[in-house]
């Protein structure tokens, strides 16, 4: 609805006053950080030992990519992200569908399922550390009640990665439940009524009505969880400092912290952040490519 | 109308055994859902339980859920061992400032993107969304350098001021919500002589209340629980926040799990109350924004 005459110029300018201050600051800060970070990644810089950065070209990238420990941490990160996000999406969908269908105690169950979302990662880490204690932890107590052998959890080479995945699933499934539940609640009732008349089973209704209608919400949730799990840090930091036994829980952000921030290798730190960014972009592109067109049976 | 009537008809003509199967399914569903709920709430319950135990009850081979005796003194002991009142006030100040700024700025920018036409609008919106992809670790060093050069270290400015410019995810959420509100409202208001500013403040802000509450709750949890921000920017003890306090506490009383859990419950309690009060709004808030595009 553009108007002619003098108010036009004012009207044309107004939108920029509304959105541009924020866009300029948010995008500007990001752009600056992006460029600055990249220029730091091309240097050897320890703010305490050599305050002026020494240019090394792509040396940091070469060094990191040829470090077996770094490659190991790429592997750990991908396994961590795939395991936790996969479980979160399945469990989150199951949880949301169940809560949606409940006739009794709906509010109570919903609240219980959402509670982990409010616990600060630092607090969640503390509790799970207690849970996973070998001698006095609740998890091993339950295992012994069931007559199963006890597990070393975060103190064990093989179990440390599954353990941090478990905690991540516990902490982030509620987010998935929340978003999917909101999505389910905004679905129109008509297709389900029609399906019931046609004698469709619940499974068919889910497959041919719910999934296609929810596709967008599911893909967005999947993307969010993937992006954030690729940079997961807080709880892993508390549960498996230094990557845990055998460094088998050494995710990329743990590597970045232990190998670059702590020894003040700022160039290396910036380089590692960039590689994390590139991996994130690649995986995002793969997810978008795979989900594009899939499941739309409308 | 006709659809729902025919559904009733379809239900009424269902044979009895299908009803029985459905009833059994429903019972199973409730058991499963409650089980899942219990699993998710269990660590929290255990945390409260541990916070009420005395030392002898901490390390036993058969842990008990309900402590006997219950030791409420743990809370007083935890509270008094560090300046938690100071930390609570500091954290509240940061959190409230962030919420006010974030809600207003995100609402404002989202209105611009949802309701105004200008060149490259969708491009700028895309750029804004893309900025979310950048990991915090890329931002960390450059941001620190900026704030240091501005002389803002050891103040609350680096923790609060960014909220005044909104954040991409919340702008996205609110824009989606606004797109669902009919344009006729704007047109009617414009005919009555309202400008953008009045339409935004008097019409859109009240109508987007549920989504704004969602943003407020998320901002609350983010600011209240933020650990790295305060860790990097705050150095003097008097300015520290609860998340940092908990960390200090952990360093000093790390082996005394019951006190640590009591301190954690204290830090967590405000979050729990806000969450309980707001949860139905924010499920609705996300549902209506639909994340649909």
């Amino acid at each position: 609805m553009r108007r002619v005459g003098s108010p036009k110029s004012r009207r044309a300018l107004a939108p920029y006053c509304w959105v541009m201050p924020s866009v300029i600051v948010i995008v500007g800060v990001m752009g600056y950080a992006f460029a600055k970070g990249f220029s730091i990644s091309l240097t050897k810089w320890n703010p305490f030992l050599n305050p002026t950065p020494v240019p090394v070209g792509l040396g940091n990238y070469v060094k990191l990519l040829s470090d077996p420990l770094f490659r190991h941490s790429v592997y750990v990160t991908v396994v961590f992200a795939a395991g936790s996000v996969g479980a979160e999406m399945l469990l989150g969908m199951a949880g949301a569908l169940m809560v949606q269908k409940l006739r009794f105690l709906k509010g109570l169950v919903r609240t219980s399922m959402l509670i982990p979302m409010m616990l600060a990662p630092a607090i969640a880490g503390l509790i799970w550390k207690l849970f996973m204690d070998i001698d006095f932890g609740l998890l091993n107590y339950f295992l012994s009640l069931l007559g199963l052998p006890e597990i070393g959890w975060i103190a064990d080479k093989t179990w440390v990665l599954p353990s941090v995945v478990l905690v991540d699933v516990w902490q982030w499934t509620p987010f998935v439940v929340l978003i999917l539940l909101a999505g389910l609640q905004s679905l129109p009732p008509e297709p389900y009524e029609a399906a019931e008349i046609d004698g469709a089973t619940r499974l068919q209704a889910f497959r041919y009505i719910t999934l296609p209608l929810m596709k967008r919400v599911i893909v967005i949730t999947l993307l969010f969880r993937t992006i954030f799990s690729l940079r997961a840090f807080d709880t892993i930091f508390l549960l498996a400092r230094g990557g845990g036994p055998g460094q088998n829980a050494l995710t990329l952000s743990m590597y970045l912290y232990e190998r670059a921030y702590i020894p003040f290798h700022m160039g290396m730190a910036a380089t590692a952040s960039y590689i994390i960014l590139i991996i994130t972009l690649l995986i995002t592109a793969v997810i978008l490519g795979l989900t594009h067109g899939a499941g739309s049976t409308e | 109308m006709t659809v729902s009537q025919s559904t009733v008809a379809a239900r009424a003509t269902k044979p009895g055994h299908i009803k029985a199967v459905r009833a059994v399914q429903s019972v199973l569903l409730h058991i499963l859902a409650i089980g899942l709920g219990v699993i998710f709430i269990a660590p929290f319950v255990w945390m409260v339980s541990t916070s009420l135990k005395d030392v002898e009850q901490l390390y036993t081979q058969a842990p008990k859920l309900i402590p006997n005796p219950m030791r409420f003194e743990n809370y007083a002991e935890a509270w008094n061992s560090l300046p938690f009142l100071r930390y609570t006030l500091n954290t509240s100040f940061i959190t409230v400032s962030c919420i006010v700024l974030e809600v207003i700025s995100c609402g404002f920018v989202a209105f611009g993107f949802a309701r105004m036409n200008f060149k490259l609008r969708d491009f700028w919106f895309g750029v804004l969304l893309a900025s979310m992809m950048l990991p915090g670790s890329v931002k960390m060093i450059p941001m620190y350098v900026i704030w240091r050069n501005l002389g803002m270290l050891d103040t609350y400015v680096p923790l609060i001021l960014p909220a005044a410019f909104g954040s991409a995810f919340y702008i996205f959420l609110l824009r989606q919500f606004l797109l669902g509100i009919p344009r006729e409202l704007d047109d009617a208001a414009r005919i009555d002589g309202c400008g953008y500013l009045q339409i935004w403040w008097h019409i859109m802000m009240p109508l987007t209340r549920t989504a704004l509450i969602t943003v407020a709750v998320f901002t609350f949890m983010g600011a209240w629980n933020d650990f790295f921000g305060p860790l990097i920017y705050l150095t003097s003890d008097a300015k520290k926040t609860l998340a940092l306090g908990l960390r200090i506490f952990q360093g000093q009383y790390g082996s005394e799990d019951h006190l640590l859990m009591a301190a954690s419950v204290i830090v967590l309690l405000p979050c729990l109350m806000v969450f309980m009060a707001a949860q139905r709004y924010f499920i609705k808030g996300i549902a209506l924004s639909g994340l649909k595009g």
Side-chain angles (χ1 to χ4, degrees), chain A residues 1-12:
Chain A
M1 291 283 260
R2 288 271 166 97
R3 286 169 201 199
V4 212
S6 61
K8 187 186 169 186
S9 55
R10 256 187 70 197
R11 285 229 166 252

Side-chain angles (χ1 to χ4, degrees), chain A residues 20-217:
Chain A
M20 278 311 167
S22 276
V23 170
I24 289 171
V25 170
I26 297 178
V27 175
V29 163
M30 287 295 170
Y32 172 79
F34 191 76
K36 182 85 183 166
F38 186 66
S39 79
I40 294 175
S41 82
L42 299 176
T43 62
K44 195 174 151 92
W45 178 34
N46 182 329
F48 296 95
L49 295 180
N50 47 335
T52 29
V54 184
V56 291
L58 289 173
N60 289 329
Y61 289 86
V62 175
K63 216 165 157 186
L64 270 186
L65 292 174
S66 56
D67 177 5
L69 192 63
F70 184 77
R71 292 205 297 257
H72 168 72
S73 82
V74 172
Y75 166 79
V76 168
T77 308
V78 171
V79 172
F80 172 82
S84 54
V85 175
E88 281 155 25
M89 293 303 294
L90 290 177
L91 207 57
M93 183 49 109
L97 285 171
M98 284 197 272
V99 169
Q100 170 86 343
K101 290 250 155 64
L102 283 186
R103 291 179 57 198
F104 306 104
L105 298 172
K106 192 171 178 170
L108 202 66
V109 171
R110 188 183 60 199
T111 307
S112 325
M113 278 191 196
L114 296 183
I115 266 194
M117 247 178 52
M118 311 163 314
L119 268 74
I123 298 180
L126 289 178
I127 305 178
W128 280 93
K129 217 171 173 175
L130 280 183
F131 263 35
M132 290 176 165
D133 191 88
I134 300 180
D135 298 316
F136 302 106
L138 211 54
L139 292 185
N140 271 350
Y141 174 66
F142 284 135
L143 286 181
S144 70
L145 283 186
L146 294 169
L148 295 168
E150 297 190 344
I151 291 175
W153 302 105
I154 46 175
D156 185 288
K157 253 166 113 162
T158 24
W159 285 99
V160 63
L161 188 55
S163 300
V164 293
V165 168
L166 175 71
V167 178
D168 196 76
V169 170
W170 175 81
Q171 176 134 52
W172 287 104
T173 300
F175 173 80
V176 180
V177 171
L178 177 70
I179 305 274
L180 295 185
L181 195 58
L184 285 175
Q185 282 182 359
S186 51
L187 292 181
E190 291 84 7
Y192 293 94
E193 288 165 355
E196 190 164 354
I197 293 167
D198 291 346
T201 64
R202 284 187 183 187
L203 204 64
Q204 283 171 325
F206 175 73
R207 168 70 186 82
Y208 294 106
I209 303 173
T210 312
L211 273 188
L213 286 178
M214 292 275 289
K215 190 191 151 201
R216 238 195 121 83
V217 182

Side-chain angles (χ1 to χ4, degrees), chain A residues 205-255:
Chain A
F206 175 73
R207 168 70 186 82
Y208 294 106
I209 303 173
T210 312
L211 273 188
L213 286 178
M214 292 275 289
K215 190 191 151 201
R216 238 195 121 83
V217 182
I218 294 173
V219 172
I220 290 178
T221 317
L222 180 66
L223 281 179
F224 266 116
R225 279 309 306 137
T226 308
I227 292 172
F228 285 101
S229 81
L230 285 172
R231 55 176 87 146
F233 181 77
D234 315 45
T235 35
I236 304 180
F237 177 72
L238 277 157
L239 292 170
R241 197 160 190 172
Q247 296 182 309
N248 282 340
L250 188 79
T251 58
L252 278 169
S253 38
M254 276 310 290
Y255 179 97

Side-chain angles (χ1 to χ4, degrees), chain B residues 1 13 27 38 55 82 86 131 133 156 199 235 266 270-271:
Chain B
M1 257 318 208
T13 53
V27 171
V38 168
V55 186
L82 281 176
R86 181 79 256 162
S131 72
M133 299 281 288
Y156 293 143
I199 296 177
T235 42
I266 293 172
C271 275

Side-chain angles (χ1 to χ4, degrees), chain A residues 259-275:
Chain A
R259 293 270 150 168
Y261 272 126
I262 292 299
F264 289 106
H265 292 158
M266 292 307 167
M268 287 296 240
T271 308
S273 331
Y274 268 84
I275 297 179

